[in-house]
Amino acid sequence: DGGITQSPKYLFRKEGQNVTLSCEQNLNHDAMYWYRQDPGQGLRLIYYSQIVNDFQKGDIAEGYSVSREKKESFPLTVTSAQKNPTAFYLCASIGGGANYNEQFFGPGTRLTVL
Amino acid sequence: GQNIDQPTEMTATEGAIVQINCTYQTSGFNGLFWYQQHAGEAPTFLSYNVLDGLEEKGRFSSFLSRSKGYSYLLLKELQMKDSASYLCAVRDQAGTALIFGKGTTLSVSS
């Protein structure tokens, strides 16, 4: 079955710690995205990558970092510089060709800072 | 700037029809998406419009007017399971990044 996986589903972190959220897709999609969702805020774009070894900042990139060493993987690191990291994090991807129009989402990771 | 507006909340009863409106002002336009999101879950794709007019898919239809910067999602024969948030999103001129509205929470009662 093709799809996007994110792990873990729930993550707890102490203040001052960096944490990495995993995102893997086997859809052969070129473009991948990280969004953050807070209550009443909708989805806000953190980072995106359109090809391997290249990525761009979204609207709220401060305190986050990413890498795109493989087409299938786009991990997000939440650093201690992120002042309010508690949120629901969603990874997504878009394919080319006939699948160009639809953006698929992973199941999400809920991060809580203790 | 980029702006997408939707009502925050709507209520309706089972079997009824509800229309969720979305207005947008973006630097570019390359398609409008509607997603459904149940609490605690990821959004799921409902519809895509890039040309003016109505797209129908079962109980759900979506309409677009590019000249007015306006779309709506129409849900017919409402069911309790339709209680969810509905997200309007626009793809900008870059061709890939989606800009999301804050979502409309729909509550369906019996």
Side-chain angles (χ1 to χ4, degrees):
Chain A
D1 269 317
I4 304 176
T5 57
Q6 291 184 243
S7 61
K9 187 172 179 65
Y10 297 96
L11 187 58
F12 297 89
R13 185 195 101 176
K14 292 182 180 179
E15 277 193 43
Q17 288 182 335
N18 291 357
V19 63
T20 297
L21 281 59
S22 167
C23 177
E24 303 278 333
Q25 54 99 358
N26 60 3
L27 300 166
N28 199 33
H29 286 173
D30 290 313
M32 297 185 72
Y33 309 83
W34 275 105
Y35 291 91
R36 169 184 171 139
Q37 187 175 34
D38 297 278
Q41 291 292 321
L43 274 69
R44 293 182 290 169
L45 184 66
I46 305 172
Y47 267 99
Y48 64 100
S49 168
Q50 296 188 359
I51 57 172
V52 174
N53 292 323
D54 186 55
F55 48 83
Q56 306 294 329
K57 291 182 179 180
D59 300 320
I60 55 166
E62 185 175 352
Y64 300 98
S65 66
V66 294
S67 63
R68 187 86 186 277
E69 297 175 1
K70 300 185 300 182
K71 189 175 186 177
E72 301 80 17
S73 178
F74 191 40
L76 173 74
T77 296
V78 185
T79 74
S80 57
Q82 170 50 236
K83 298 306 178 188
N84 186 21
T86 295
F88 188 41
Y89 290 87
L90 288 158
C91 180
S93 69
I94 292 183
N99 296 321
Y100 179 66
N101 298 324
E102 184 173 343
Q103 180 167 298
F104 294 85
F105 284 90
T109 292
R110 190 166 297 279
L111 173 64
T112 302
V113 174
L114 303 174
Chain B
Q2 318 274 48
N3 194 48
I4 300 177
D5 284 319
Q6 316 176 224
T8 304
E9 295 180 338
M10 298 184 72
T11 59
T13 55
E14 267 189 305
I17 299 173
V18 71
Q19 177 175 311
I20 303 174
N21 295 325
C22 172
T23 57
Y24 63 90
Q25 292 175 309
T26 54
S27 56
F29 181 82
N30 196 358
L32 186 140
F33 297 72
W34 283 96
Y35 284 83
Q36 180 190 62
Q37 186 179 26
H38 285 99
E41 298 180 8
T44 56
F45 172 80
L46 289 178
S47 69
Y48 168 76
N49 296 70
V50 68
L51 299 176
D52 290 351
L54 189 68
E55 294 282 340
E56 296 186 81
K57 191 184 292 185
R59 294 189 299 114
F60 294 1
S61 303
S62 57
F63 171 83
L64 174 68
S65 169
R66 288 172 296 171
S67 62
K68 295 182 179 178
Y70 169 70
S71 173
Y72 67 73
L73 180 69
L74 193 71
L75 293 75
K76 303 175 185 175
E77 301 170 14
L78 281 172
Q79 304 173 11
M80 298 293 285
K81 67 178 181 180
D82 297 328
S83 292
S85 286
Y86 291 86
L87 310 177
C88 175
V90 173
R91 185 158 60 203
D92 71 5
Q93 206 164 40
T96 55
L98 294 191
I99 305 160
F100 283 84
K102 295 184 178 181
T104 299
T105 300
L106 173 66
S107 300
V108 180
S109 59
S110 57

